[in-house]
Amino acid sequence: MHGKVELAFRTSHRQLAVTIQGQPSRIYPIDLTAWAPHTPEFGTWRRLTDGSDIRYRAKWPGKP
C-alpha cells in the first residue's frame, strides 16, 4: 500500500495512523525533523515491531 500525507505544521514528533477495514489500527513513527529537507528518493525500509515495513520521504510542494 502507498499514499501521501500533508504535514500540516512543523514538528519533530510525527506519527502516521493507518486503519484498514478488518485489521487492527497501526501507528507508525515518522522520524523526520521539524525542518526535514526535500528528498527525491525514499529512505530505506524499516521493520516495525508489528512485522510491517515502512519507508518515506519529505516532499515539498512543487518539487518532483
Side-chain angles (χ1 to χ4, degrees):
M1 172 176 32
H2 69 278
K4 63 181 177 178
V5 176
E6 286 191 32
L7 304 176
F9 55 92
R10 296 192 185 280
T11 179
S12 58
H13 303 286
R14 302 177 196 273
Q15 295 180 328
L16 175 64
V18 177
T19 304
I20 300 171
Q21 187 175 1
Q23 295 186 18
S25 295
R26 293 183 172 97
I27 303 290
Y28 296 103
I30 305 295
D31 296 326
L32 293 173
T33 66
W35 298 93
H38 167 81
T39 55
E41 301 296 325
F42 284 90
T44 57
W45 286 100
R46 292 184 19 214
R47 173 65 48 113
L48 301 177
T49 56
D50 67 358
S52 61
D53 299 298
I54 187 172
R55 69 180 185 156
Y56 47 84
R57 67 178 178 143
K59 181 177 181 256
W60 292 97
K63 297 204 177 192

